[in-house]
Amino acid sequence: MSEPIGITLIFIGVLFDLLGCIGLIRLPDVYNRLQAATKTVTLGTCLILTGVAVASGTVTIQIKAMLALALVLIASPTAAHALARGAYSLGVKLWEKSVVDRYGEDLGKEGEDEAA
Amino acid sequence: MRWAWAFVLSFGFWLLLTWPPGWQELSVGLVAAVVATTFFGRMLRLKTVRRLFDPRRYFWAICYVLVLIYRIFVANLDVAYRVLHPEMPIKPGIVKVKTVLQNEVAKTVLANSITLTPGTLSVDITDDGYLYVHWINVRAMQEEEASSYIVGRFESLLRRIFE
């Protein structure tokens, strides 16, 4: 009985991963792409792991799946954060239609202070 | 004491990951736990370990995880909408928000949660408690307003768990 539920969960997870890939292609700049990639891949992977846990029915596999899930939940946004910050400090520009950039303004201010 | 705790926690985690244990798993795990303890043991604070045994914090942590799961689902539907919409309704920008949280772990969890909530992605954090957040659909450019949108709903729960 639990196997169809597990497979459905895995299917939904793959579907979200696919949406993330579409976002990766369609969105305009690094930061927007990271947004799509991080959120969908986190939920997609978590759903796949939950599906594995539900479908397998073995306690050891379930514990491992849940540990992997917790690690993904911590590591994935951390990696996105590191990538976004790294991209910005290497000078990757925001999309030209972006409406505001407080980060750039504040970094610019610090630069001026140092120059003065 | 700190080193002993670091070793017990990392070795216990390894055991859960490789269950059921045989001599191969145990010996590799022993080496891995010693290496992990040597390099990262000094980061572990005994205060953090003591908090592991406080049931009230677990209650709030469970509430927090439930809220987070809900928000992750909303975030994914939000991404799906923006990505599949033919005109791609986005209005991106980086805003600055302030957090009242002091604890380092709490700030880390807050930044990660912001990344997983609809439309926002943490870019940087300063020592005096400001976060720079990339927002896919900017609704408020001022600091106070943006703060209440982005960090407001997490702060009170996180403070109960970590501070």
Side-chain angles (χ1 to χ4, degrees):
Chain A
M1 181 52 218
S2 59
E3 209 176 308
I5 302 177
I7 289 172
T8 313
L9 282 173
I10 294 176
F11 181 75
I12 301 173
V14 173
L15 215 63
F16 274 119
D17 276 353
L18 177 69
L19 279 172
C21 296
I22 297 174
L24 212 55
I25 295 169
R26 284 203 71 196
L27 290 168
D29 69 0
V30 178
Y31 310 99
N32 289 308
R33 287 177 171 167
L34 269 177
Q35 292 241 17
T38 318
K39 292 180 224 308
T40 53
V41 167
T42 309
L43 182 67
T45 315
C46 288
L47 283 174
I48 292 172
L49 285 167
T50 317
V52 168
V54 172
S56 79
T58 322
V59 178
T60 53
I61 292 181
Q62 285 167 345
I63 292 176
K64 285 171 200 173
M66 288 305 112
L67 285 178
L69 194 153
L71 286 180
V72 167
L73 216 52
I74 298 169
S76 160
T78 313
H81 168 86
L83 281 171
R85 191 167 178 276
Y88 204 102
S89 61
L90 281 176
V92 179
K93 295 274 184 297
L94 277 102
W95 187 39
E96 68 247 9
K97 285 185 197 151
S98 300
V99 288
V100 62
D101 182 9
R102 291 297 307 275
Y103 192 41
E105 285 166 25
D106 285 10
L107 285 182
K109 223 186 303 172
E110 275 167 31
E112 277 164 32
D113 288 348
E114 276 163 27
Chain B
M1 195 57 197
R2 164 191 295 180
W3 302 94
W5 269 113
F7 180 79
V8 168
L9 289 176
S10 50
F11 193 56
F13 187 75
W14 174 274
L15 281 183
L16 281 177
L17 264 182
T18 55
W19 203 265
W23 68 270
Q24 289 178 329
E25 285 86 0
L26 284 177
S27 47
V28 174
L30 218 57
V31 174
V34 167
V35 170
T37 310
T38 324
F39 283 105
F40 303 109
R42 67 193 161 77
M43 290 170 159
L44 187 73
R45 302 220 180 91
L46 284 178
K47 227 161 75 184
T48 319
V49 177
R50 224 169 291 134
R51 284 177 184 165
L52 282 176
F53 300 103
D54 184 347
R56 275 171 309 168
R57 293 180 194 273
Y58 279 102
F59 172 74
W60 292 115
I62 290 168
C63 292
Y64 180 73
V65 168
L66 290 178
V67 171
L68 189 64
I69 288 175
Y70 166 71
R71 299 227 68 88
I72 290 176
F73 266 99
V74 175
N76 275 272
L77 296 177
D78 181 74
V79 167
Y81 166 72
R82 285 180 206 290
V83 163
L84 295 179
H85 196 286
E87 280 151 34
M88 257 198 327
I90 59 172
K91 194 177 141 198
I94 295 181
V95 294
K96 185 180 183 181
V97 297
K98 182 160 181 55
T99 172
V100 296
L101 296 173
Q102 299 291 323
N103 182 299
E104 294 293 325
V105 183
K107 280 195 219 166
T108 312
V109 176
L110 177 71
N112 277 2
S113 309
I114 287 172
T115 300
L116 291 174
T117 40
T120 50
L121 173 84
S122 311
V123 176
D124 202 357
I125 186 164
T126 63
D127 294 329
D128 46 355
Y130 287 99
L131 283 153
Y132 295 97
V133 177
H134 183 267
W135 206 349
I136 204 166
N137 187 30
V138 177
R139 275 186 284 180
M141 298 200 194
Q142 291 313 311
E143 202 178 296
E144 293 80 24
E145 224 186 323
S147 300
S148 71
Y149 265 121
I150 294 175
V151 297
R153 46 195 173 216
F154 288 123
E155 267 179 346
S156 60
L157 272 174
L158 281 176
R159 210 181 315 155
R160 288 202 174 98
I161 300 171
F162 291 107
E163 291 181 356

